[in-house]
Amino acid sequence: MPPFDTEVPVLLLRLAPGPAPRGTLGAVRSLGRAGLEVHTAAAPARGPLDRSRHLYRAHVLPAPGPLAPDRLLEFLRDLSDRIGRPAVLLPMDDRAAITTARLAGPLLGRYLLPGQPPDLPERLADRARLARLCRELDLPHPETAVPASAREAAGAARALGLPLVAKWSRPWLLPPSAGLRGTALVRSPDQARRLYELTERAGSALLLQRRLPRGPDTDWFFHGCFTRGGACLFGGAGRRRRAGLLCARPVAAGRRPPPLPVERAALHLAGRLNYRGILGLDFRRDRHGRYHLLGASPRPGAPFRLVTDPDSGLDAVRALHLDLTGRTVPAAPGVLTGAPAPPATPAAPPGAPRRA
């Protein structure tokens, strides 16, 4: 592996409240072990992250609640002055990814960020927009309705079949005091109606989605890093189970078998969007063998360390630092570097009254 530019530190930004998830700790360990100076900026919370020997310094956000973009910009500029030199800025939750993409212009010269359209992270993280995007790109996605009234919500529940899955389109906007979950199982039309009546409190639209049954080997994920034109620098797929994650396999460790359908779908999505940066995707296979895209995260997720080249230690966050600092990201023979179209899949069944 080429040497990292150790003169360029990393700032991991987390705007969500509460303790940092294990993905943040994994990023600190991975980047710190590579010899990089790692900073964090997050709400105050006790946990193993603050005790990690790989963390150079933890910085506390200036307010306990959501920061307005202008205040976050001021905070990041002040933090840049304290760090003393340009740093790779790596968001660790959806709110941070969305906000920093919109602030990329004013942060130029202080932070290194992937060059991409400012609304692209929100387009992926917003579940209603993701459903529309899947339809545009011909990617399988569970049949989804976005009701415009409580009555429509009850009707969509009947049309989709019970039980079904209810999701808030922008879960990062859910106020902690609301007591609402980002995803819930709906068992009756009346429950769907009552959920819709909480839309104003939730802060985003309610989605009702046909439930794909869970079974052995049905849940999969992809995690990777992309560069200009949506080309894959490093990535791979793995299986999920209720108790954890398993069977991750890195794309950049040299490919002999043909790519999994989830990898082909990830490359297709990133290529069509010209995505650059870290991307996590969740899939579920239906009984017909189609892999449906359930969710997208424009930042590192919990499973990213499972997709690691065992020879070099390369993973998605290390690949991003190499790319943004002008280093070459090593690729073994057979690495997937393009964005091939996924195999043809049967069309989804007709939708509910109003589709996402």
Side-chain angles (χ1 to χ4, degrees):
M1 178 183 294
F4 289 88
D5 188 345
T6 55
E7 294 301 312
V8 181
V10 183
L11 174 64
L12 307 181
L13 177 64
R14 176 171 164 79
L15 298 181
R22 62 180 182 271
T24 304
L25 180 58
V28 168
R29 288 173 173 170
S30 175
L31 296 167
R33 287 168 180 161
L36 301 171
E37 182 181 300
V38 184
H39 298 252
T40 60
R46 290 179 174 269
L49 179 63
D50 293 335
R51 298 190 296 271
S52 174
R53 61 189 174 90
H54 301 291
L55 179 64
Y56 182 81
R57 185 167 298 160
H59 307 270
V60 178
L61 295 175
L67 286 176
D70 57 344
R71 190 162 183 202
L72 178 61
L73 177 59
E74 180 183 1
F75 169 74
L76 290 174
R77 284 172 169 167
D78 291 344
L79 188 50
S80 173
D81 292 337
R82 277 182 270 164
I83 294 173
R85 56 198 188 279
V88 169
L89 180 53
L90 183 55
M92 298 303 298
D93 61 77
D94 290 342
R95 186 191 290 271
I98 292 165
T99 307
T100 54
R102 295 191 179 279
L103 296 177
L107 293 174
L108 190 64
R110 293 179 177 270
Y111 294 98
L112 282 68
L113 285 160
Q116 59 186 1
D119 69 333
L120 184 52
E122 184 173 1
R123 190 180 179 194
L124 289 167
D126 185 315
R127 293 160 166 179
R129 298 181 71 178
L130 180 66
R132 292 195 295 270
L133 181 62
C134 287
R135 189 168 67 248
E136 293 168 9
L137 300 183
D138 196 27
L139 289 172
H141 184 77
E143 188 178 350
T144 302
V146 185
S149 66
R151 182 177 179 180
E152 274 194 25
R158 296 186 186 96
L160 289 169
L162 297 166
L164 57 80
V165 177
K167 298 179 178 180
W168 297 108
S169 177
R170 302 179 179 186
W172 63 89
L173 296 181
L174 289 173
S177 60
L180 297 173
R181 300 177 60 182
T183 303
L185 196 63
V186 171
R187 300 184 181 277
S188 70
D190 188 56
Q191 187 181 357
R193 182 186 298 109
R194 292 197 306 270
L195 264 180
Y196 180 85
E197 292 169 350
L198 299 174
T199 299
E200 185 175 351
R201 187 188 305 177
S204 65
L206 176 68
L207 278 68
L208 298 176
Q209 206 166 77
R210 185 184 296 276
R211 181 173 175 265
L212 299 178
R214 185 196 297 263
D217 300 338
T218 57
D219 291 343
W220 290 76
F221 68 88
F222 175 91
H223 212 284
C225 179
F226 296 85
T227 189
R228 297 172 186 86
C232 184
L233 289 170
F234 184 85
R239 284 201 309 270
R240 288 185 183 271
R241 283 186 179 175
R242 288 177 185 265
L245 306 161
L246 39 131
C247 291
R249 61 176 193 173
V251 171
R255 297 308 304 266
R256 286 177 295 275
L260 290 169
V262 294
E263 291 170 352
R264 292 178 61 87
L267 296 179
H268 177 65
L269 175 68
R272 288 289 298 272
L273 297 178
N274 293 322
Y275 188 85
R276 186 179 184 190
I278 294 177
L279 181 64
L281 304 172
D282 289 310
F283 295 84
R284 179 168 291 178
R285 191 182 68 236
D286 67 14
R287 60 189 179 90
H288 302 293
R290 296 175 299 186
Y291 289 80
H292 294 251
L293 180 58
L294 300 183
S297 300
R299 39 81 181 181
F304 89 89
R305 281 293 292 162
L306 294 181
V307 185
T308 302
D309 184 347
D311 296 324
S312 66
L314 185 67
D315 58 28
V317 299
R318 290 185 177 189
L320 182 66
H321 192 281
L322 289 169
D323 185 47
L324 293 181
T325 56
R327 269 27 183 197
T328 300
V329 179
V335 62
L336 295 178
T337 56
T345 55
R354 184 180 171 207
R355 291 174 59 89

